Amino acid sequence: MKGSALASDKLSVVVRVDVDGEQIQIAATGRVTTLSLQGLYPVVQRTKSLGGGLGVEMDLSQATIDDDALDQLQGYAALHEVPVRLAAELASVTTLPSRGLQAASRAA
C-alpha cells in the first residue's frame, strides 16, 4: 500500500531523558536523508541548549540512513561533539563510552 510505504520512510524523533538525569537521548526511526537531517539538527541544538550541560546522544540504530546523509552526519557529529549510535551493520560515527567510563570520568 502506498500509505504504509510513506509512513515507514517518515522520520520520527523522540527525546528521552535518562532516569538518573545524566543523559538525554534523541531517538529517531524511519529514513534519514540529507533533507531530514536539516530538521534533525535543530532538534539536537535545542536539546543541547535546554539540557543544562547534560550529555546528548543521537540514537539512529532503528533508522535507515542514506549514504550521503551518513557522510553529513559524520561531519556534524565530529563538529558538535554529539555521539551517534547506529545500527550494527554501520560503523559508529563517534565512539560511545560505556556507562562505567562515564561514571568514572564524572568522579575524576
Side-chain angles (χ1 to χ4, degrees):
M1 297 226 127
K2 188 176 181 180
S4 62
L6 290 175
S8 65
D9 282 348
K10 185 175 181 181
L11 187 64
S12 176
V13 178
V14 175
V15 177
R16 294 181 267 209
V17 178
D18 273 355
V19 177
D20 60 11
E22 295 182 9
Q23 181 88 24
I24 298 174
Q25 184 180 72
I26 300 168
T29 58
R31 184 172 174 204
V32 179
T33 65
T34 55
L35 183 60
S36 66
L37 280 176
Q38 301 312 309
L40 184 59
Y41 294 153
V43 172
V44 174
Q45 291 305 316
R46 182 138 173 100
T47 301
K48 285 179 74 171
S49 70
L50 296 174
L54 298 178
V56 174
E57 154 189 301
M58 282 193 284
D59 181 357
L60 304 179
S61 62
Q62 301 301 310
T64 303
I65 306 172
D66 291 354
D67 289 337
D68 51 347
L70 182 59
D71 291 340
Q72 279 190 16
L73 188 60
Q74 287 173 324
Y76 180 86
L79 181 64
H80 296 281
E81 299 178 353
V82 177
V84 178
R85 184 180 314 251
L86 299 171
E89 61 269 10
L90 297 173
S92 278
V93 174
T94 58
T95 304
L96 292 174
S98 70
R99 297 297 272 167
L101 289 175
Q102 288 176 350
S105 66
R106 285 192 178 91

